[in-house]
Amino acid sequence: MDSFDGNFNCEFETMNQLPEKLLSELCLQKGFDEAAFFQAHQHLPNTSIRLNPKKKIFSFESEEKISWCENGFYLKERPSFTYDPLFHAGCYYVQEASSMFLEFALRQSIDLSQSLKVLDLCAAPGGKSTLVASLLNENSMLVSNEVIKNRATILKENISKWGSENVLVTNNDPKHFERLENYFDVLVIDAPCSGSGLFRKEPAYLNEWNDNLVNLCSQRQQRILADIWKCLKPNGVLIYSTCSFSES
Ligand code: SAM
């Protein structure tokens, strides 16, 4: 559709609360599928998990596979993960299927059988890092970084549970990497954002979303990119993701 007419015919709570400003901007974006967008906001995303290939378990064998991630599965229902020792032992990670798309992006863009130096710059709590760690060979290295100290602690715990020996957890500002010029083969930047992609899962984000937040996040993302860009080797791969729909 070309423009937003201001009318939503939706009975669902989250849909009714979606910021009008966001919707009107989305409607101007090329390829925006209004019907699919509305439909996606009518229910919670399916629960999905990714198995740890180094800690084989057979509890989820009969579940539906996620086509873009070798060890990803949709679950028919959400079990109580807190009471499952296999969860605490790092046998699987609970992660949205869309986040697992990183595996497809990596396989498409780089030969993962090479030994690679990878930086996951915005890594806590560790969803993407545990995925990347499972894809790299034993001669590769993953630097999993988180700038916020208490989030870095959670990241470290999750990486330890996952159990990959070639992962280094760091707690640095992107700027601190500037001495590592032309160093990394792959940069993964899962940038901090305004969170509009999380509205259906975390309705609390709805109250926080506003223009100022979008502009702030946009400036922060540009700064992160400017700070880290030089660390990428020539012909290296930068994978940039965010769970926000805003264009700027
Ligand atoms: N990649 C993570 C995962 O898959 O579990 C999620 C990352 S989350 C979308 C973005 C992360 O960026 C947060 O952990 C946040 O603390 C961090 N962050 C916030 N401000 C930042 C900044 N200025 N530079 C780098 N990272 C920042």
Side-chain angles (χ1 to χ4, degrees):
M1 85 171 259
D2 296 317
S3 64
F4 171 62
D5 61 10
N7 294 315
F8 308 110
N9 301 314
C10 185
E11 298 152 23
F12 295 88
E13 213 176 317
T14 307
M15 196 61 240
N16 283 335
Q17 291 170 13
L18 287 175
E20 273 195 30
K21 177 92 182 354
L22 174 70
L23 287 166
S24 55
E25 284 168 4
L26 276 174
C27 288
L28 296 174
Q29 284 184 23
K30 196 162 181 265
F32 175 61
D33 184 338
E34 187 188 13
F37 187 80
F38 280 19
Q39 202 195 1
H41 282 82
Q42 289 177 9
H43 47 75
L44 283 168
N46 287 346
T47 302
S48 45
I49 54 143
R50 182 170 38 77
L51 300 182
N52 186 340
K54 285 199 173 155
K55 300 186 181 183
K56 289 260 184 245
I57 53 167
F58 300 97
S59 320
F60 302 104
E61 266 187 335
S62 60
E63 303 287 349
E64 184 191 346
K65 282 205 72 165
I66 295 170
S67 57
W68 50 87
C69 178
E70 205 177 324
N71 293 302
F73 292 88
Y74 293 110
L75 304 189
K76 285 183 218 51
E77 52 196 40
R78 192 177 178 90
S80 177
F81 296 116
T82 330
Y83 295 115
D84 185 0
L86 296 175
F87 169 68
H88 295 287
C91 295
Y92 61 90
Y93 195 98
V94 183
Q95 183 174 46
E96 268 209 45
S98 56
S99 296
M100 301 181 204
F101 197 72
L102 173 61
E103 175 169 330
F104 184 80
L106 276 170
R107 288 190 191 282
Q108 290 293 306
S109 49
I110 198 148
D111 174 7
L112 292 167
S113 66
Q114 300 172 79
S115 74
L116 298 169
K117 291 200 272 282
V118 181
L119 170 64
D120 182 4
L121 185 65
C122 312
K128 302 225 171 42
S129 275
T130 52
L131 172 57
V132 174
S134 296
L135 294 171
L136 298 179
N137 70 22
E138 67 277 12
N139 298 317
S140 295
M141 175 185 72
L142 170 64
V143 177
S144 180
N145 179 70
E146 168 57 43
V147 67
I148 298 177
K149 196 168 174 45
N150 57 355
R151 289 181 61 81
T153 306
I154 297 165
L155 173 65
K156 195 170 87 181
E157 276 171 21
N158 284 333
I159 296 289
S160 308
K161 278 200 277 185
W162 199 249
S164 305
E165 58 281 358
N166 48 352
V167 183
L168 198 76
V169 175
T170 57
N171 172 214
N172 286 96
D173 188 274
K175 223 178 176 15
H176 296 162
F177 288 89
E178 68 188 358
R179 278 181 289 169
L180 296 176
E181 200 170 327
N182 297 338
Y183 187 76
F184 291 101
D185 301 284
V186 181
L187 295 179
V188 176
I189 303 178
D190 193 22
C193 67
S194 56
S196 45
L198 300 173
F199 285 164
R200 62 185 177 150
K201 205 169 89 176
E202 306 274 358
Y205 279 104
L206 279 162
N207 304 326
E208 286 163 29
W209 191 94
N210 60 51
D211 255 358
N212 283 346
L213 179 66
V214 172
N215 290 334
L216 194 85
C217 292
S218 165
Q219 284 162 18
R220 186 181 292 144
Q221 292 184 5
Q222 289 173 46
R223 203 167 53 237
I224 290 172
L225 271 177
D227 286 342
I228 209 65
W229 178 246
K230 283 194 188 143
C231 299
L232 189 63
K233 278 185 188 166
N235 300 319
V237 172
L238 184 147
I239 297 188
Y240 190 85
S241 59
T242 133
C243 39
S244 153
F245 296 118
S246 299
E247 204 170 25
S248 58

